[in-house]
Amino acid sequence: MPCQAHLGEVNASKAEFERRGVSIVVVSFAEPAKLVHYQEHRRWPFTMLADPERNAYRAFSLKRLSWFQLFSPATLMRYLKLFREGMEREDYGQEDIHQSGGDFLLDRKGNVLFAHRSRNPADRPSAAELVRQIDRLRSAQAR
């Protein structure tokens, strides 16, 4: 559910990313058929890639979360906030709640320019923070 909320926030700021020439790619550990079903339902305007073997997760050092990380006070507060806002949990089958996520900015060569590895499901940079990082990186490259 926090992942859905994060994608919603990024989607709401999609024009800011596009204005900066940044493409958004979402990598999921879901099987391709489940990801197709998910995308048919959600219709996110992003490229969605299936990585059921989690090769990208290993390459980006995205770890498995402990029970304490999964049910940390920050995570529980995030879930409570999302439920209050009317967000419902969607069931897409066997989800691995222990797999951490992350947000990364890569250059065209695949070099990691910014990395945020989530410490719990609620730990995501805001879309505004991602835009600030893009601007910071552009500014540093211009020097």
Side-chain angles (χ1 to χ4, degrees):
M1 219 165 82
C3 291
Q4 310 298 329
H6 183 59
L7 287 177
E9 181 186 359
V10 170
N11 186 43
S13 298
K14 189 171 184 280
E16 290 297 317
F17 292 101
E18 288 175 343
R19 194 166 63 79
R20 289 162 173 80
V22 174
S23 299
I24 298 168
V25 177
V26 176
V27 178
S28 170
F29 56 79
E31 293 293 329
K34 286 184 182 178
L35 191 57
V36 166
H37 172 71
Y38 170 78
Q39 182 61 348
E40 286 172 353
H41 176 71
R42 296 303 304 207
R43 302 212 180 275
W44 295 116
F46 314 126
T47 299
M48 305 284 282
L49 303 175
D51 181 22
E53 278 81 42
R54 301 178 201 208
N55 295 318
Y57 288 80
R58 282 190 295 282
F60 288 107
S61 300
L62 295 171
K63 308 293 183 196
R64 296 183 55 74
L65 301 174
S66 70
W67 281 105
F68 178 75
Q69 290 168 307
L70 284 173
F71 297 104
S72 69
T75 301
L76 294 175
M77 292 301 292
R78 180 71 173 142
Y79 273 100
L80 184 59
K81 181 177 187 276
L82 293 173
F83 282 130
R84 274 196 211 137
E85 291 172 356
M87 187 170 231
E88 296 180 14
R89 186 183 178 287
E90 299 174 31
D91 186 12
Y92 293 100
Q94 300 270 332
E95 296 178 30
D96 181 0
I97 62 172
H98 291 276
Q99 179 62 62
S100 68
D103 291 76
F104 301 88
L105 297 173
L106 310 175
D107 66 13
R108 295 188 191 283
K109 295 177 183 175
N111 298 309
V112 178
L113 304 176
F114 169 80
H116 179 94
R117 292 171 183 86
S118 300
R119 296 178 308 257
N120 61 57
D123 179 32
R124 294 289 190 152
S126 67
E129 174 61 21
L130 292 172
V131 169
R132 278 192 295 277
Q133 290 296 329
I134 292 164
D135 292 343
R136 180 188 62 79
L137 291 164
R138 288 250 168 89
S139 176
Q141 288 176 344
R143 291 182 195 146

